[in-house]
């Protein structure tokens, strides 16, 4: 090729390359100028938030919304100086919303943002008016707000959520197992955080409601009277006491601004046998009324319900396969707003109940079952007064618990390898009273050196409880498989007399929530408890933290550690006065006496060490059960519709009251009650909350847990329905130990006012123990190798609401339980002398029920 031509081609190529570079440079320059022009048009809003005393408010949640308030555009949290900033804002008109616990929400409309400017805005938050706090404002479950502190509810269930769920009985406690870490034991009691029901606290509107004698939950409150239910597994705020398990807090519903009434479930569910109608299976009509008595001053809420239920028991034949429950519930609440600084609330409740053929199953037919009757009454007065910019709460409550347990006759209670016969062995009547005075003051936020904000709360609690019990027991016989008598227990009723016992409890506490920075808060507190029945003074320190490591505030790490002391049920202090027992053992011929021993009931304060001397017994001995709990939790707001929580919990308890038959060094025998038992609970929990269309909520949780401890707890043998045969105590899996549990539930709103609410549960089966022909345990009790098959259930409620007139509506619902008809056995042949040993049976099959509600 000609060199001149080559040079020309090179020049042309260089020229083309330069043109391309120039064009690219012009385009890039135009883009930069366009971006710079756009940035020049964006703006910044600097917000300063103070309180009524011009002190900075930290941790306030600020949000800019569209002018119509339909959509949130950007959020921020105020820092240590009370500043919150919004950047890269487009010019326009916005709505500003500022929310902080303890202050009245602030909403500013028509906040104008101009282009290319920095706008400064100062706002002042006022203390929330008392009239808006007639009911307790609870922290939202799965909260990612630092202001909620270290203690948040594991589950917060609103009435509107609960009423649509497929719950067999529309009562508060039937909904609690929807909480991770809460499970209903094989005996029907609730276990929270791996503890017995008697070891947890029930609080209704701020005051305790446990049965003083047994410690169990006795509130027969319908869902219609409830505003919300909260469950705490690790509350580090020291205002809570008298428990080593968890806390169930019930807040009742107040009357509204307008009159409202509902009539629910007034049509009965009929019973069909062989295609024929055979009476009524269940009827549970509930009436609720609420509204103003004096406009803006006095409000009332009234609920009344009646329930009759004939529940079939699998494994038995009709008509001897049904238990019968008949109960009533009356609850009234009056809320008086005296002025913006002073409110009062009065509640009155009466809850009678009568249960027939309690604990009926294949092995315990009707003649062997006990009956149960209760007459509970409660009343409380709560006074709220705004004092020195804080809130003073004063509560006085009085409760009366009457209970009676008796058998179907006076025959001996007989045990065989294949089941029981005769009549239930024990009869008892009990009257218990409880009086409580609770005073707490929530001080206004105080700023101290090092720019920390303190939220102080302190108060005291005085409780007097008493119980009066009559207890008698009939003989118990243990027969071998061939019908020969192996053992006979005769109770010493000769000196039986009414048992009376009382206790005074004094407690005081001080709590400080320190806001060190906008993204970090600490809860520090100390609780003092004095239970005169033990002459024991306890100090319970607790500490927790909440930390948001990222600027968006959507991730929160929480944790804490605390010491907790239990209440002492009065039945425990009555133990020495229960009738002793003469135990006679026979040889294989059933007539020749092998051994005869008399066991008296002894309460001691020594550990089970040798040499043991029964002469050192002390009716006032024992210690208050003590628990140490710590946890670490991570919560993340993944999106506006999804929130995740991961939590690890460790709980260790000591000084639990445990029964054991013992012999001292002199050969004297006794049933010894010691506060020497131990228990441990560990749980790893993953929970997700989905917010669906129309703000429906759906929860999914998985819990990997372990609950182990001493098995001879007092209530298993001397509770309302006790057991007469006491064998040696063992440390093993607790009866409600469930290593794996997957739970999903929620509500789904569909078009045409249709609602679907499923509950899905899969879990490991409960453990059980093997027995021999003489009702002695074989091997380790509640072993992992002796468990029921895995449990699975899909329950569903489908409902539709019809608007009949402008003022009246009708709601029809159909509930279905165990839709898949999964094999969920309730019984097992656990006696090795039983010909059907090892067979599981009596599964709950698929059932249906309906409801009809009238809405006004």
């Amino acid at each position: 090729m000609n060199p001149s031509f080559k040079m020309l081609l090179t020049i042309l190529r260089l020229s083309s390359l330069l043109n391309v570079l120039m064009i690219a440079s012009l385009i890039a320059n135009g883009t930069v100028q366009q971006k710079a022009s756009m940035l020049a048009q964006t703006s910044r809003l600097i917000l300063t938030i103070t309180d009524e005393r011009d002190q900075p408010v930290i941790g306030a949640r600020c949000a800019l919304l569209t002018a119509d308030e339909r959509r949130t555009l950007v959020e921020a949290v105020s820092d240590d100086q009370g500043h919150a900033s919004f950047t890269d804002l487009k010019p326009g008109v916005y709505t500003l919303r500022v929310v902080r616990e303890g202050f009245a929400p602030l909403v500013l409309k028509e906040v104008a943002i101009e282009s290319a400017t920095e706008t400064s805005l100062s706002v002042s938050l006022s203390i929330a008016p008392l009239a808006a706090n007639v009911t307790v404002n609870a922290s939202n479950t799965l909260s990612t707000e630092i202001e909620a502190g270290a203690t948040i509810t594991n589950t917060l269930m609103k009435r509107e959520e609960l009423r649509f769920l497929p719950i067999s009985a529309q009562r508060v406690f039937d909904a609690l197992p929807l909480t991770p870490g809460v499970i209903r034991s094989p005996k029907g009691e609730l276990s929270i955080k791996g503890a017995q029901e008697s070891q947890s606290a029930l609080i209704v509107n701020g005051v305790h409601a446990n049965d003083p004698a047994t410690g169990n939950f006795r509130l027969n409150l319908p869902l219609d009277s409830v505003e919300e239910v909260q469950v705490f597994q690790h509350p580090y705020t020291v205002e809570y006491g008298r428990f080593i398990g968890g806390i169930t807090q019930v807040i009742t519903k107040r009357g509204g601004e307008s009159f409202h009434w509902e009539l629910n479930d007034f049509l009965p569910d009929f019973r069909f046998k062989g295609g024929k109608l055979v009476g009524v299976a269940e009827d549970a009509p509930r009436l609720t009324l609420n509204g103003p008595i004096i406009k803006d001053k006095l409000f009332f809420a009234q609920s009344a319900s009646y329930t009759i239920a004939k529940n079939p028991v699998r494994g038995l034949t009709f008509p001897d396969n049904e238990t019968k429950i008949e109960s009533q519930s009356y609850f009234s609440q009056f809320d008086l707003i005296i002025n913006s600084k002073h409110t009062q609330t009065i509640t009155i409740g009466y809850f009678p109940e009568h249960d027939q053929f309690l604990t009926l199953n294949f092995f315990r037919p009707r003649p062997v079952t006990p009956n149960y009757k209760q007459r509970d009454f409660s009343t409380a007065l709560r006074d709220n007064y705004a004092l020195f910019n804080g809130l003073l709460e004063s509560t006085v409550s009085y409760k009366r618990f009457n209970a009676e347990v008796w058998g179907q006759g006076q025959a001996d209670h007989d045990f065989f390898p294949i089941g029981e016969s005769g009549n239930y062995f024990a009869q008892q009547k009990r009257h218990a009273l409880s009086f409580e005075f609770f005073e707490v003051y929530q001080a206004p936020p105080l700023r101290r050196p090092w720019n920390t904000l303190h939220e102080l709360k302190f108060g005291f609690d005085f409780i007097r409880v008493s119980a009066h019990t009559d207890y008698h027991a009939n003989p118990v016989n243990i027969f071998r498989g061939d019908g020969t008598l192996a053992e006979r227990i005769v109770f010493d009723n000769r000196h039986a007399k009414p048992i009376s016992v009382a206790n005074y409890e004094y407690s005081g506490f001080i709590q400080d929530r320190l806001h060190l920075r906008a993204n970090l808060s600490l809860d520090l507190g100390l609780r003092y408890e004095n239970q005169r029945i033990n002459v024991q003074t306890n100090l319970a320190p607790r500490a927790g933290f909440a930390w948001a490591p990222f600027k968006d505030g959507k991730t929160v790490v929480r944790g804490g550690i605390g010491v907790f002391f239990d209440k002492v049920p009065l039945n425990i202090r009555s133990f020495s006065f229960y009738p002793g027992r003469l135990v006679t053992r026979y040889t294989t011929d059933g007539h020749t006496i092998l051994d005869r021993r008399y066991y008296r009931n002894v309460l001691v304060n020594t550990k089970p060490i040798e040499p043991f001397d029964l002469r050192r017994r002390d009716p006032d001995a024992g210690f208050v059960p003590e628990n140490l709990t710590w946890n670490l939790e991570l919560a993340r707001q993944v999106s506006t519709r999804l929130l995740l929580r991961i939590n690890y919990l460790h709980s260790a308890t000591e000084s639990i009251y445990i029964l054991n038959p013992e012999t001292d060094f002199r050969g004297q025998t006794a049933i010894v009650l010691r506060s020497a038992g131990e228990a441990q609970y560990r749980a790893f929990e993953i929970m997700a909350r989905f917010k669906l269309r129309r703000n429906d909520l759906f929860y999914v949780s998985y819990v990997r847990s372990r609950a182990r401890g001493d098995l001879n707890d007092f209530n298993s043998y001397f509770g309302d329905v006790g057991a007469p045969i006491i064998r040696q105590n063992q440390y093993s899996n607790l009866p409600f130990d469930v290593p794996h549990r997957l739970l999903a539930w929620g509500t789904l709103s569909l078009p045409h006012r249709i609602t679907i609410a499923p509950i899905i549960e899969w879990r490991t089966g409960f453990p059980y123990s093997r027995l021999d022909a003489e009702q002695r345990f074989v091997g380790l009790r509640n072993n992992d190798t002796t468990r029921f098959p895995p449990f699975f259930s899909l329950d569903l409620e489908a409902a539709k609401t019809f608007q009949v007139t402008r003022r009246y509506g009708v709601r029809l619902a159909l509930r279905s339980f165990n839709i898949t008809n999964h094999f969920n056995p309730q019984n097992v042949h656990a006696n090795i002398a039983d010909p059907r040993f090892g067979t599981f049976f009596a599964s709950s099959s698929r059932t249906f029920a309906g409801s009809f509600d009238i809405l006004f």
Side-chain angles (χ1 to χ4, degrees):
M1 183 177 291
N2 192 316
S4 300
F5 185 68
K6 288 182 179 179
M7 183 178 294
L8 179 61
L9 286 177
T10 302
I11 293 172
L12 289 174
R13 288 171 180 170
L14 291 174
S15 177
S16 300
L17 179 59
L18 290 173
N19 288 333
V20 170
L21 292 174
M22 290 178 63
I23 293 172
S25 176
L26 290 172
I27 293 174
N29 186 49
T31 304
V32 170
Q33 290 180 357
Q34 182 180 6
K35 288 185 176 180
S37 176
M38 291 177 62
L39 288 174
Q41 294 178 3
T42 60
S43 304
R44 184 182 182 189
L45 173 63
I46 304 297
L47 191 63
T48 301
I49 308 164
T50 60
D51 59 18
E52 294 175 333
R53 297 174 296 170
D54 294 329
Q55 295 295 318
V57 176
I58 66 174
R61 292 178 290 114
C62 313
L64 277 181
L65 299 83
T66 56
D68 57 8
E69 303 182 35
R70 292 184 178 180
R71 187 162 58 96
T72 301
L73 301 175
V74 62
E75 297 179 331
V77 179
S78 61
D79 60 18
D80 304 344
Q81 304 299 321
H83 299 318
S85 62
F86 302 94
T87 58
D88 297 339
L89 299 177
K90 294 182 179 181
V93 178
Y94 299 86
T95 295
L96 173 67
R97 184 175 62 203
V98 182
V99 179
R100 177 68 167 88
E101 185 180 7
F103 294 90
L106 175 67
V107 177
L108 291 180
K109 297 185 177 182
E110 299 182 358
V111 177
I113 303 296
E114 299 180 358
S115 62
T117 61
E118 180 176 288
T119 304
S120 296
L121 181 63
S122 297
V123 298
S124 178
L125 299 184
S126 58
I127 300 296
L130 191 59
N133 292 279
V134 174
T135 57
V136 177
N137 294 320
S139 300
N140 188 20
T141 179
L142 292 175
S143 174
T144 57
E145 302 168 9
I146 292 297
E147 65 187 54
T151 298
I152 62 170
T153 61
N154 295 78
T155 297
L156 171 63
M157 294 178 284
K158 299 283 189 178
R159 173 180 177 268
E160 293 304 320
E161 295 176 336
L162 296 175
R163 63 181 303 190
F164 293 116
L165 293 174
I167 301 174
S168 56
Q170 294 292 302
R171 297 187 298 182
V172 172
F173 301 134
D174 297 293
L176 294 185
L178 297 177
T179 301
V182 179
I183 198 151
R184 191 172 295 281
S185 73
K187 296 196 304 181
E189 297 182 351
L190 293 170
S191 170
I192 304 177
K193 200 179 71 178
Q196 303 280 351
E197 181 177 290
S198 60
Q199 297 170 335
S200 294
L202 171 62
I203 299 177
V204 180
N205 295 328
V207 295
H208 293 88
N210 295 75
D211 183 345
T214 64
N216 285 344
F217 295 3
R218 285 269 298 271
L219 184 66
N220 184 18
L221 192 64
L223 289 177
D224 300 310
S225 300
V226 174
E227 180 66 29
E228 62 188 37
V229 181
Q230 306 170 56
V231 178
F232 299 87
Q233 290 192 57
H234 38 79
Y236 297 117
T237 49
V238 291
E239 63 185 290
Y240 299 114
R242 305 178 78 241
F243 70 96
I244 55 177
I247 291 178
T248 298
Q249 182 164 266
V250 179
I251 299 171
T252 56
K253 184 178 177 60
R254 60 159 290 184
E257 301 291 340
S258 59
F259 184 78
H260 176 82
W261 70 273
E262 292 183 15
L263 181 60
N264 302 317
D265 286 347
F266 63 92
L267 293 182
D269 293 331
F270 295 101
R271 179 176 55 190
F272 293 90
K273 299 295 180 183
K276 297 182 179 180
L277 176 64
V278 187
V280 173
E282 181 177 0
D283 193 12
R286 310 188 311 276
L287 175 66
T288 60
L289 304 167
N290 73 80
I293 298 177
I294 302 175
K295 183 176 176 57
D296 299 328
K297 281 289 184 182
L298 181 60
F299 305 86
F300 85 101
Q302 174 68 54
S303 68
S305 68
Y306 170 79
T307 300
I308 182 169
K310 301 171 185 177
N311 301 316
V313 175
R314 301 296 170 182
L316 299 173
T317 58
F318 182 80
D320 297 323
N321 68 332
E322 291 183 337
T323 64
K324 182 179 179 181
I325 300 175
E326 186 175 6
S327 66
Q328 303 170 50
S329 174
Y330 307 95
F331 188 81
S332 306
Q333 177 166 326
F334 299 90
D335 293 282
L336 174 64
I337 300 178
I338 300 174
N339 53 51
S340 61
K341 293 186 176 183
H342 195 186
T343 68
Q344 289 182 341
T345 299
I346 299 175
T347 57
I348 303 172
Y350 178 56
F351 313 103
E353 182 174 337
H354 182 196
D355 301 343
Q356 289 182 279
F357 313 117
L358 209 62
T359 69
L360 177 68
N361 59 44
F362 174 83
F363 301 104
R364 179 175 288 182
R366 271 190 170 186
V368 198
T369 60
N371 299 316
Y372 173 81
K373 181 185 292 185
Q374 74 176 38
R375 294 287 187 274
D376 293 350
F377 171 82
S378 67
T379 183
L381 169 64
R382 186 171 70 252
D383 183 273
N384 295 334
Y385 185 72
L387 181 65
F388 305 125
N389 292 324
L391 180 62
L392 178 65
E393 298 180 65
S394 306
T395 306
V396 178
S397 72
Y398 169 81
K399 297 179 175 63
R400 186 184 70 230
F401 304 85
N402 294 336
E404 183 177 357
V405 179
W406 71 99
Q408 309 298 330
Q410 295 296 321
D412 290 359
H413 191 161
D414 299 330
F415 286 82
F416 295 87
I418 59 174
E420 303 174 30
S421 65
N423 297 136
Y424 180 70
F425 78 103
Q427 305 88 44
Q428 62 174 304
K429 291 183 179 181
R430 187 175 65 250
H431 308 281
L433 301 176
S434 172
F435 173 82
E436 181 174 6
F437 176 53
F438 183 61
E439 191 89 12
V440 59
Y441 180 69
Q442 173 72 61
L446 300 173
R447 186 167 294 278
R448 285 292 179 262
W450 302 288
N451 202 31
T452 57
L453 187 69
H454 298 256
E455 295 182 4
L456 290 172
K457 178 183 285 189
F458 52 88
F460 67 88
D461 195 6
F462 168 75
I463 301 176
R464 184 192 185 277
V465 291
S466 62
H468 181 90
T469 305
D470 288 312
Y471 185 94
H472 294 79
N474 295 330
V476 174
N477 303 304
I478 300 175
F479 293 93
R480 303 181 183 91
D482 58 3
T484 58
L485 180 64
E487 186 174 322
R488 178 173 170 83
I489 304 172
V490 178
F491 294 89
D492 187 5
N493 296 315
R494 295 172 301 171
H495 306 293
K497 61 181 180 179
I499 305 170
S500 297
V501 64
N503 187 20
Y504 294 87
E505 302 179 33
Y506 309 89
S507 60
F509 62 87
I510 181 169
Q511 175 82 28
D512 187 9
R513 177 168 296 168
L514 296 83
H515 296 273
L516 301 179
R517 296 198 300 269
N519 67 334
L520 177 63
S521 70
L522 297 179
D523 284 334
L524 301 175
L526 181 65
R527 182 179 179 88
Y528 164 86
E529 296 182 355
N530 187 340
Q531 298 201 43
R532 303 304 300 173
I533 200 170
N534 284 84
V535 194
Q536 180 178 342
T537 298
N538 297 311
L539 292 177
R542 299 172 197 171
F545 73 93
W547 173 51
F550 306 117
K551 291 184 178 180
D552 60 6
K554 295 183 179 180
T555 301
V556 173
V557 180
R558 282 189 175 88
I561 186 169
V563 176
F564 306 87
F565 291 93
D566 201 6
K567 56 194 167 296
V568 179
L570 297 181
N571 277 4
I572 288 178
R573 285 302 175 194
S574 307
F575 178 66
S576 298
F577 301 100
Y578 281 79
R581 62 185 67 195
L582 179 65
V583 179
T584 305
R585 297 173 56 226
Y586 296 86
T587 60
T588 54
D589 64 7
H591 300 286
T592 305
I593 296 177
L594 179 65
D595 183 50
R596 174 175 288 172
R597 297 187 180 187
Y598 182 81
Y599 292 84
R600 46 187 173 164
N601 303 314
V602 176
L603 178 63
V604 301
N605 61 358
T606 60
K607 298 289 184 180
I609 56 177
E610 300 293 343
F612 173 53
D613 189 353
L614 282 172
R615 292 175 297 183
R616 291 184 293 172
R617 64 185 184 277
D618 182 0
D620 297 324
F623 300 92
V624 179
E626 179 180 353
N627 172 266
L628 176 67
T629 293
W630 65 269
N631 86 297
L632 186 63
E633 173 187 302
L634 172 67
R636 171 68 182 176
Q637 186 76 51
V638 179
S639 67
T640 57
R641 296 189 177 275
L642 173 61
L643 193 148
L644 292 176
R645 185 182 71 190
I646 301 175
N647 180 60
Y648 178 79
L649 171 71
H650 186 277
S651 172
T653 305
E654 60 183 24
S655 298
I656 301 174
Y657 285 88
I658 297 296
L659 290 166
N660 214 32
E662 298 186 25
T663 304
D664 70 0
F665 77 99
R666 298 176 300 119
Q668 299 296 311
T669 55
I671 302 297
V672 178
L673 179 62
R674 302 173 183 269
S675 55
E678 297 181 352
Q680 281 198 353
Y681 177 75
R682 300 189 302 273
F684 175 75
E685 172 192 329
I686 301 176
M687 184 173 186
R689 185 191 68 190
F690 299 89
K691 183 179 290 186
L692 309 177
R693 295 181 58 186
R694 303 186 184 183
N695 291 325
D696 291 334
L697 297 178
F698 198 84
Y699 299 88
V700 179
S701 65
Y702 167 76
V703 177
R704 172 72 171 95
S705 65
R706 200 64 170 170
R708 294 176 60 80
D710 289 287
L711 300 180
N712 281 16
D713 64 281
F714 180 84
N715 266 355
S716 295
Y717 299 95
F718 290 92
D720 285 334
V721 182
I725 304 173
I726 304 177
R727 302 305 189 194
Q728 289 295 321
N729 173 58
Q730 292 186 24
Y731 186 95
S732 183
N733 296 323
L734 292 172
F736 37 78
D737 175 57
V738 176
H740 301 276
R741 188 186 187 208
L742 181 65
L743 182 66
W745 64 277
T747 55
L748 307 173
S749 298
L750 303 179
H752 308 296
R753 306 183 73 176
I754 297 176
T755 302
I756 295 178
I759 298 177
I760 306 169
E761 181 180 8
W762 175 90
R763 60 166 172 80
T764 310
F766 289 123
Y768 67 93
S769 303
R770 296 188 181 101
L771 297 168
D772 65 9
E774 298 184 7
Q775 304 297 318
R776 294 174 298 192
F777 293 107
V778 177
L780 183 64
R781 296 163 60 179
N782 292 349
N783 202 334
D784 281 326
T785 60
T786 54
R787 284 186 179 273
F788 280 81
F791 175 92
F792 175 78
S793 179
L794 169 59
D795 304 334
L796 181 70
E797 175 169 314
K800 178 174 175 55
T801 302
F802 300 89
Q803 195 65 37
V804 180
T805 67
R806 186 176 180 180
R807 300 179 61 184
Y808 293 91
V810 173
R811 180 177 178 271
L812 301 179
L814 177 65
R815 293 190 294 268
S816 179
F817 302 93
N818 194 16
I819 293 177
T820 63
N821 214 21
H822 188 266
F823 180 65
N824 297 321
Q826 299 178 5
N827 295 121
V828 58
H829 292 273
N831 196 299
I832 61 175
D834 188 334
R836 301 180 62 187
F837 170 68
T839 304
F840 296 97
F841 65 104
S843 174
S844 297
S845 59
R846 183 190 302 115
T847 58
F848 297 91
S851 67
F852 186 93
D853 304 335
I854 297 179
L855 312 177
F856 174 78

